[in-house]
Amino acid sequence: MPFSTGIITNTRDAGTASSNIVMNVRNLDLTNPVTVTVQIFASVNSTTFYTAYLITYVVPANSYNVREFFIAGNVAYEVQINTASVAAPNALLSVFGIDGFGNLVTDQRILQSELSFISSLSPVM
């Protein structure tokens, strides 16, 4: 099931800019692993976006995974996430921006309930 954060502004003019994105996945299924695909699109000028990251990984049953992605220098970004499993995916997702000191950027906190459902991941740019 694919989700998106939507486009997130990442400039100091609108608060503290993030230098990294932290992607959290908790697989609640007690039996089946979940396959996670993460696409991160970024922009240095708010006009043209490029694919900064495209990664697929497996989170074992009843476990947790944290990934960090460097995005400093980009004025906007979007995280798209897809989860797949043999059974219906039962994963909790969250995305956080963190600054250069490792502090959370409160305006760049996206919890599961705040992610937007999308019909499919966007084509790689």
Side-chain angles (χ1 to χ4, degrees):
M1 184 178 307
F3 295 96
S4 172
T5 60
I7 297 172
I8 297 172
T9 301
N10 188 42
T11 64
R12 293 201 193 305
D13 292 342
T16 302
S18 292
S19 59
N20 292 289
I21 300 167
V22 176
M23 173 73 209
N24 302 290
V25 179
R26 181 170 178 216
N27 184 1
L28 299 173
D29 193 306
L30 299 177
T31 308
N32 300 301
V34 65
T35 301
V36 179
T37 300
V38 178
Q39 285 185 176
I40 299 174
F41 299 100
S43 176
V44 295
N45 60 12
S46 293
T47 303
T48 305
F49 280 79
Y50 67 94
T51 303
Y53 294 92
L54 172 57
I55 183 171
T56 299
Y57 56 95
V58 174
V59 179
N62 197 32
S63 66
Y64 186 80
N65 185 279
V66 178
R67 302 277 169 130
E68 194 168 320
F69 303 94
F70 181 76
I71 53 120
N74 291 289
V75 298
Y77 66 88
E78 176 190 7
V79 180
Q80 293 185 2
I81 309 150
N82 189 43
T83 56
S85 178
V86 174
N90 191 11
L92 294 175
L93 311 168
S94 62
V95 178
F96 291 86
I98 58 173
D99 66 18
F101 301 102
N103 300 311
L104 294 174
V105 177
T106 55
D107 293 338
Q108 295 184 25
R109 163 199 73 53
I110 301 92
L111 303 176
Q112 176 90 23
S113 62
E114 299 167 321
L115 291 167
S116 298
F117 176 76
I118 54 177
S119 59
S120 65
L121 295 178
S122 295
V124 175
M125 297 178 186

